[in-house]
Amino acid sequence: MALPWLESLRVWGAEAGKNAVQGEAPIRFAALFSGNGFHREHWWAKGSGKTMELGKVLEPLLPHREKMLFIQGLYNEEALKGNIHSSQTGNILTGAPLEAGGGIRSGISIDQMLAKQYGQTTKVPSLVLGCEKSNPSVHKNYSMLYSSHISWSSPTTPTPLEVYPALAFDRLFRKDASQSDQSVLDAVLGDARDLRRGISRSDKQKLDEYLNSVREVEQRIDRAGQRGELQGWRPTLDKPNVPRPADGIPQDIAEHMRLMCDILVLAFQTDATRFCTLKLNNDHSSLRFPNLGVDYMIHHLLSHQESNDWLKVNQFFLEQVAYIAAKLDAIQEGERTALDNTMLMYCSSMLTGSHDATKLPVVILGRGGGKLETGRVLNYLDQPNRKMCSLYLSLMDRFGLHLDQFGDATERLAGL
C-alpha cells in the first residue's frame, strides 16, 4: 500500500543524502467530463484572482477561483463533422478524425499519451473511471462508444472504463479483487506502527488522516454493497414479471459519483497513479437525478431546455469537481498542496445542449507543480489558434513531454 507524501521520508526517486527528504511531489493530470453541455446563460467567468466572478453553473468553484483557469473559445475541428453527440465526444481528448459507419477509430488521448511515457513509475499507469456504462449501439452512423469513452489507449481501443467503485478501489490497493480479502488496512497495520516510530509529529498526523480516509472509503463501499445499491437496474418486485433489462445506473448516483471522486483523490494521494479520467456521465446520457428531485427526464433530454432543473443538474456536476479540488487542496505536500501539484481539467463536448461544439467549455483547477499561472480567464475565440490539442501540447510540456504534433495541432496554446 503506497504512502502519501511525507516530509520525513525519501520518496519518488529522490537521491539519498542530507537533502533526501526535500524532493518535490509529482505532477498529476486528471480529466473530468460530463456530457450534453451546460445552461447557455450561466456558463461564464470574468475578472481574475479572488475577485473573479462566476456564472451560476460555476458557483461551486468559487472557493478555488485563485487556482483556476477558465478557458473559452477552444474547439476540435474534427468534432464538427458529424454534429451529433458521439462524433463530438469520441475525440475530445484526442483531436483525431473519427471513423463513421459504425466503425471504431479515434486516436491516443492525452491521458494515455502521458501514461505511456511515465505511467510505469507507479502501480497503476492510469485510472479510467466512469459513472455510466458504455453504450455499444450506433446512432446516426457513429458508434455510441464514442459517447461513452474519452480515454483511448490506441486509435482503435477505448481504454476500459471502470464503473464499479469496489473494483476501482481494489485495483489501487489489492493484489486481486476477491471480496473475501481482509481490509487493505488490516494487512498493513503492523508496518504502519513501525513506520510511525521514525517520522515527525506532523507526518504522524498526516499518516493517521490518510489511513482514516482509506478506511472510510472501504466502509462506504461495503455499506453501499449491503444496501444493494450496486451498478445495474434493480427490479421493484421480488420476482420480476418481465425479463430483466440490461444493467443500468446505480440507484444512488450521488454516492456513486462521490465514491469515484474519493478514489481519484486517494489514487493521487498515494501515488498509485498520476493520470486519471473520470467520466461523470456519457454524452447523450440517460442518467436521471432523483437526488435533486429531477427524475422525470433523462439528462440528454433535459439538456434541450434552459430550465432551472437543468441548471440544478449542471451545478451538481460542478459540485463533484469542487469536491475533488477541496480534497486535493487539503493534502499538504511540502510547500504545496496536492491541488497545486495537479492539473484537473473539466470539460464537455459541447457548450450547450444544442450541440454547439464551436466553443468548448473548459476549466482547469490546480497549478501543475507551479507551472500554470492560475486565477485567470482566457478567451481564444478571436485568436488564430484555438485548438484543444494546442492546449494538450502545452499541458504535456509541463510534464516534460515535448511533442511536435498532437491530434490536429502543431503549435502550443499562446498565453497559457
Side-chain angles (χ1 to χ4, degrees):
M1 181 175 173
L3 291 168
W5 187 90
L6 300 173
E7 65 182 9
S8 307
L9 299 181
R10 177 167 57 91
V11 291
W12 291 307
E15 295 296 328
K18 64 180 181 179
N19 296 321
V21 300
Q22 297 178 4
E24 291 189 353
I27 304 174
R28 295 87 162 198
F29 173 80
L32 275 66
F33 175 95
S34 63
N36 305 320
F38 303 99
H39 197 296
R40 69 173 66 249
E41 296 178 7
H42 300 298
W43 179 273
W44 57 265
K46 59 184 178 181
S48 61
K50 62 183 179 182
T51 62
M52 184 186 296
E53 298 178 47
L54 302 179
K56 289 183 179 180
V57 172
L58 293 159
E59 281 181 354
L61 299 183
L62 276 171
H64 311 291
R65 54 192 161 179
E66 292 183 74
K67 297 186 179 183
M68 184 179 86
L69 281 171
F70 180 84
I71 304 176
Q72 54 190 340
L74 301 183
Y75 81 117
N76 274 328
E77 180 73 33
E78 294 292 337
L80 303 181
K81 294 183 177 179
N83 195 34
I84 60 171
H85 289 270
S86 50
S87 69
Q88 294 175 194
T89 306
N91 59 10
I92 186 69
L93 296 185
T94 71
L98 300 181
E99 181 177 338
I104 302 294
R105 178 171 288 275
S106 180
I108 301 176
S109 54
I110 175 178
D111 64 306
Q112 294 304 309
M113 190 68 70
L114 289 166
K116 288 177 185 295
Q117 186 75 15
Y118 305 112
Q120 301 308 313
T121 61
T122 57
K123 180 180 179 181
V124 179
S126 72
L127 195 61
V128 180
L129 305 175
C131 297
E132 188 173 7
K133 290 188 65 178
S134 297
N135 184 346
S137 65
V138 176
H139 177 61
K140 294 186 178 179
N141 208 34
Y142 282 91
S143 170
M144 290 295 284
L145 287 176
Y146 292 136
S147 291
S148 308
H149 294 270
I150 58 173
S151 178
W152 290 76
S153 302
S154 79
T156 57
T157 310
T159 314
L161 188 69
E162 184 54 76
V163 297
Y164 291 86
L167 296 183
F169 183 88
D170 289 343
R171 190 174 180 216
L172 295 177
F173 298 117
R174 298 187 181 186
K175 294 182 180 179
D176 58 58
S178 170
Q179 291 294 325
S180 61
D181 282 353
Q182 68 182 132
S183 160
V184 64
L185 289 184
D186 292 341
V188 299
L189 282 179
D191 290 337
R193 284 192 292 267
D194 292 339
L195 177 67
R196 282 179 58 87
R197 298 189 184 102
I199 59 178
S200 67
R201 178 180 298 178
S202 62
D203 276 350
K204 288 178 182 177
Q205 180 179 353
K206 180 181 293 186
L207 179 65
D208 291 341
E209 291 173 351
Y210 163 60
L211 295 177
N212 286 337
S213 67
V214 174
R215 176 74 79 189
E216 180 189 2
V217 173
E218 278 190 327
Q219 292 172 342
R220 286 166 56 202
I221 289 174
D222 185 57
R223 289 195 298 269
Q226 291 173 359
R227 290 198 304 270
E229 294 175 356
L230 300 176
Q231 179 77 18
W233 174 86
R234 295 181 71 248
T236 57
L237 303 172
D238 291 338
K239 294 182 180 180
N241 56 4
V242 294
R244 186 179 186 278
D247 283 348
I249 62 175
Q251 290 183 350
D252 190 341
I253 188 60
E255 182 174 5
H256 190 187
M257 285 190 183
R258 280 298 164 94
L259 280 170
M260 289 308 199
C261 290
D262 283 332
I263 288 168
L264 186 159
V265 172
L266 282 174
F268 283 176
Q269 186 179 7
T270 61
D271 201 33
T273 191
R274 298 171 188 174
F275 310 108
C276 182
T277 61
L278 172 53
K279 206 162 187 290
L280 295 171
N281 72 333
N282 294 340
D283 218 343
H284 208 279
S285 172
S286 61
L287 283 188
R288 297 175 188 265
F289 302 90
N291 58 306
L292 304 175
V294 187
D295 57 354
Y296 61 89
M297 188 178 291
I298 64 172
H299 189 263
H300 171 228
L301 295 180
L302 194 64
S303 72
H304 291 173
Q305 54 180 274
E306 304 297 328
S307 65
N308 287 334
D309 282 344
W310 178 231
L311 175 59
K312 188 186 300 184
V313 171
N314 290 175
Q315 290 175 326
F316 173 70
F317 282 110
L318 268 296
E319 286 167 5
Q320 313 312 312
V321 183
Y323 177 78
I324 293 173
K327 295 273 284 190
L328 289 174
D329 212 23
I331 299 168
Q332 200 67 36
E333 296 182 329
E335 296 181 356
R336 300 191 183 108
T337 69
L339 182 61
D340 292 328
N341 291 320
T342 297
M343 291 182 283
L344 180 68
M345 185 182 78
Y346 176 60
C347 62
S348 186
S349 56
M350 56 187 71
L351 184 61
T352 69
S354 61
H355 297 198
D356 182 5
T358 63
K359 304 179 290 294
L360 295 178
V362 180
V363 169
I364 296 177
L365 293 158
R367 291 171 170 160
K371 298 177 181 180
L372 286 179
E373 181 187 346
T374 55
R376 296 185 294 155
V377 174
L378 302 177
N379 188 353
Y380 292 92
L381 191 56
D382 297 323
Q383 298 298 312
N385 175 35
R386 57 187 192 95
K387 295 179 178 179
M388 277 287 286
C389 286
S390 290
L391 169 64
Y392 300 150
L393 282 173
S394 296
L395 296 182
M396 287 188 283
D397 280 348
R398 270 65 177 181
F399 285 89
L401 179 57
H402 306 293
L403 303 181
D404 294 331
Q405 179 175 353
F406 183 77
D408 61 354
T410 56
E411 59 181 305
R412 274 65 183 162
L413 196 64
L416 187 64

